[in-house]
Amino acid sequence: RDYLLGERRPLNDLMAWDTDTTRLPFKMHTEYLRHLFLNNDLVQGHFKISDKSIALQDIHTPMFVVSTLTDHIAPWKSVYKIHLLTKSDITFVLTSGGHNAGIVSEPGHLGRTYQILFHKNKDKRITAKGWQEIAPHYEGSWWPAWHKWLVQSDEKSKPPSFGNEKQGYSILYDAPGTYVLQK
């Protein structure tokens, strides 16, 4: 229909999400792709913030990690390795669907399921297969579980400064900024 007849189909949730632009500056976007995706610098301990190298294991904050069962870009068992790479408490979610559909899985979307399990850093490690066997299954979207986790972790603190003020940059607006209101 789109190409042969020139008729656009109405957007569904996934198509709308997929056409939303990143609105990231070019340099930030290319650094993200090169350093975090291609070179995996954060895991390797080579990612730099203000000329200081950091590693994923330097982050000591609770994590809510979501993966999708049939993801072709980030297979869930590779995402599950976050348990080996951090010293954080992790709430791990495995949702039905693929790379996009599993994430855009709003409440009320029929056929969605997920598994979720909390793991304290000091607890004995569980293999990905073992996790999948013991994590409880739930019908529906994982979003309400994420909302509950966010509400329970309502510890507000001032974000860290990375020296931007010293470089002549000032904070323009509190997050998420004003661009999210642009149409």
Side-chain angles (χ1 to χ4, degrees), residues 7-93:
E7 296 175 4
R8 295 268 176 178
R9 293 177 290 161
L11 286 180
N12 63 30
D13 57 353
L14 188 58
M15 290 167 57
W17 179 73
D18 195 41
T19 60
D20 192 13
T21 60
T22 58
R23 299 185 62 90
L24 297 174
F26 173 77
K27 184 176 179 183
M28 179 183 178
H29 189 251
T30 55
E31 285 181 1
Y32 161 75
L33 289 176
R34 182 173 294 115
H35 297 294
L36 297 177
F37 182 72
L38 183 62
N39 297 340
N40 212 7
D41 286 347
L42 188 58
V43 170
Q44 301 296 330
H46 303 299
F47 190 74
K48 292 190 184 260
I49 296 180
S50 295
D51 295 324
K52 181 180 178 187
S53 292
I54 65 164
L56 195 56
Q57 62 187 324
D58 296 328
I59 301 170
H60 301 284
T61 187
M63 297 181 179
F64 190 95
V65 179
V66 181
S67 191
T68 63
L69 194 57
T70 58
D71 195 323
H72 63 289
I73 295 172
W76 84 266
K77 289 179 182 175
S78 68
V79 175
Y80 186 80
K81 290 178 184 177
I82 189 80
H83 290 85
L84 301 173
L85 302 171
T86 69
K87 296 177 181 166
S88 299
D89 295 341
I90 298 172
T91 301
F92 191 83
V93 175

Side-chain angles (χ1 to χ4, degrees), residues 4 8 23 29 37 41 57 62 68 89-91 104 113-116 120 123 125 130-132 139 149 170-171 180:
L4 295 177
R8 295 268 176 178
R23 299 185 62 90
H29 189 251
F37 182 72
D41 286 347
Q57 62 187 324
T68 63
D89 295 341
I90 298 172
T91 301
V104 182
T113 62
Y114 68 97
Q115 291 178 265
I116 186 170
K120 262 191 129 17
D123 292 347
R125 299 280 176 221
W131 182 94
Q132 195 173 27
E139 295 290 324
W149 183 85
S170 61
I171 297 170
V180 296

